[in-house]
Amino acid sequence: MNGPRALALAALAALAALPWVLARHQLSILTDLLIFGLFALSLDLIMGYTGMVSFGHAAYFGLGAYGSALVLVHSGQPVPVALLAGALLAGVVALPVGWFSTRATGIYFAMLTLAFAQLLYTVAYKWRDLTGGSDGLAGVPKTTLFWGGPSLATPHAYYFLVTACVVLALLLCRALVRSPFGRALQAIRENERRFVALGRAARPFKLVVFVIAAALAGLAGALFAPFRGFASPEVMFWVLSGQGLMMVLTGGIGTLIGPILGAMVFILIQEVLSSYTEHWMIFSGAVFVLMVIFLPGGLVGTARRLVTRA
Amino acid sequence: MAIFVEQLLNALALAGLLFLVSAGLSLVFGILRVVNFAHGVFYMLGAYLGFTTVAVSGWFWPALLVVPPVVGVVGALLEASTLRFIYRRPPIYQLLLTFGLALILEESVRVLYGPTAKGIDPPPLLEGAIGIAGTLYPRYRLFLIVLSLAVGAAVWLFLQKTRSGLVIRAVAQNSEMADCLGADIARVRTWVFGAACALAGLGGVAAAPMTTAYLGMGIGVIVDAFVVVVIGGLGSIPGSMAGSLIVGAAQTWGAYYLPETAMVIMYAVMGAILIFRPWGLFGEEE
């Protein structure tokens, strides 16, 4: 058995065993880390594999959170229905946004996605009747796994639901980037002009991957709302979009597993810093600046380089 | 008619502020090929430093003179200590780095000034309103229009008529060639970055009597400025001016006729322009 596969199996075993080792609040933190790992993973799909840096990815996380919160609060359907609703809502909204944004490339794309995300944030903030405005939607219940099925209200049950979603999403993304479709994405990232010169249209690929990434971010948001019990405009704010980029960079752009680890490290650093000072943003900003300058490959990229050099 | 004139002047005043911010953003992109996410935070820094200067001196005018250079120096120091080292990387790294800088600066302002907004009184000369075309209009907003026009003209004259302006335009056009011909690229970058931050700081001081200085004003203005440069084209000063006017008009009339959906109007206009000109009105295809 080769190294990466052994590592993956060990990680799966650890994820399965951890709920029986960790204390209740530690398990809750781990669930949180995994949800944001999924968010960062979805961002890596467009940022790392297609070279499209979105500065508004939080909008789709937020749309997913609102979608799932609305379904759970108003209809009490099983959680998977809410997850589907959240991912679908994010994907559907991403379609027109992506259609506009993919007209531009590079920096223009980043600015357009930010502008649309702020627009969606404003809508969530102002549309009081639907979203509860700045208060958000509170009391989102963790219902059941299916109609008449087991309750997901225990920390263990919800943790396993989240873990299953993250693992499935990771496998899906892995299959995606290794498929001909994924190869095309990487070709666009490397040299879009040449890709076009070879007789392919780049925009349909970019639009499709943008919608997939948005739907996965929506899935993360849809998991988040029942987990925390609320959805509020903050989860759509630009700060989360920027933090997503930081998570991906911390873990390693274009490595899929890296962003998940990056999200975990990033949030843990934040947790530790915020227990010492309420102004942790200064320090996380400084850590991030140093990482950009000195560790551009992130954790996984740097580790791989060390391994291949050794 | 009176309402139309009032709205027109409102749009111009807003466009003036947007121009002060977006011109610097565009200039930095033209020279450094960096989109400075922290640019809005320098605007906010200007507003807060303006508050301090007014509080210390008791006057508004010194703030207008002192604050922009101070903000400019802060900007130039940050460029020389961080950005300078990563120009050879793909653009995403520079954008991310300025995002980190924005977090540090925003939180530093929160530490220094606390979470509440700080108001500045306009100078006595500009207080009150003046009658124009049958309507009473605040003097301070007229001053904003004049100030931004003057700054716009000064920037344009500097770039077109001075030797330094010539070097800057040369670097913007082809930095490698300018380097070969003996231009000190590193110094040009630092100066331009500092000057752009000073412009944003000036915008912040000028805005403070109207909007107060508050946390989050930076991100508010940077999003608007992004829309401006997307419409006008990055790297183009006339583009910033045209974009500022369009966004100013869209926001002003949008807020008047459709108060709930004013933001949507701005994006609709942007979307419509992008369909025909994906690189903005005055921009060039990358």
Side-chain angles (χ1 to χ4, degrees), chain B residues 23-204:
Chain B
L25 193 67
S26 204
L27 204 60
V28 164
F29 181 79
I31 307 299
L32 291 80
R33 300 276 133 185
V34 171
V35 171
N36 181 13
F37 195 88
H39 200 69
V41 183
F42 289 103
Y43 170 83
M44 179 182 77
L45 191 62
Y48 275 97
L49 290 178
F51 166 77
T52 302
T53 316
V54 172
V56 169
S57 72
W59 274 14
F60 177 76
W61 300 110
L64 212 51
L65 291 179
V66 173
V67 170
V70 174
V71 177
V73 168
V74 173
L77 286 176
L78 283 174
E79 189 277 341
S81 58
T82 58
L83 262 179
R84 169 168 293 185
F85 305 110
I86 59 162
Y87 285 123
R88 287 169 184 282
R89 301 252 193 92
I92 164 69
Y93 286 98
Q94 292 124 39
L95 188 69
L96 289 173
L97 187 123
T98 58
F99 179 79
L101 294 181
L103 282 184
I104 298 173
L105 285 172
E106 170 113 12
E107 198 59 25
S108 306
V109 169
R110 191 198 301 274
V111 173
L112 289 173
Y113 289 93
T116 50
K118 308 283 182 194
I120 299 183
D121 288 329
L125 184 67
L126 299 173
E127 258 170 322
I130 193 169
I132 297 178
T135 177
L136 278 176
Y137 198 75
R139 285 168 195 243
Y140 191 77
R141 293 194 182 192
L142 289 177
F143 165 71
L144 279 183
I145 298 174
V146 175
L147 176 75
S148 52
L149 279 176
V151 171
V155 170
W156 189 81
L157 281 175
F158 175 78
L159 286 175
Q160 298 296 327
K161 301 290 176 193
T162 67
R163 197 175 156 75
S164 310
L166 182 74
V167 175
I168 290 173
R169 280 185 295 136
V171 174
Q173 211 167 62
N174 189 335
S175 61
E176 276 171 31
M177 183 58 79
D179 192 26
C180 292
L181 293 172
D184 187 345
I185 306 283
R187 222 180 72 180
V188 170
R189 281 176 175 151
T190 306
W191 275 95
V192 166
F193 195 87
C197 293
L199 275 182
L202 178 67

Side-chain angles (χ1 to χ4, degrees), chain A residues 111-127 236-238, chain B residues 14 18 219-228 231 246-272:
Chain A
M111 291 192 297
L112 282 176
T113 48
L114 173 67
F116 281 114
Q118 286 299 103
L119 174 66
L120 290 167
Y121 167 78
T122 313
V123 171
Y125 204 87
K126 292 250 167 97
W127 198 346
M236 303 185 81
F237 204 39
W238 64 276
Chain B
L14 181 59
L18 285 174
I219 180 66
V221 83
I222 196 74
V223 168
D224 286 355
F226 278 174
V227 174
V228 166
I231 289 176
I246 291 171
V247 171
Q251 286 198 353
T252 306
W253 273 289
Y256 183 71
Y257 289 109
L258 301 159
E260 284 301 308
T261 49
M263 283 276 284
V264 183
I265 307 282
M266 181 172 86
Y267 294 107
V269 171
M270 178 182 79

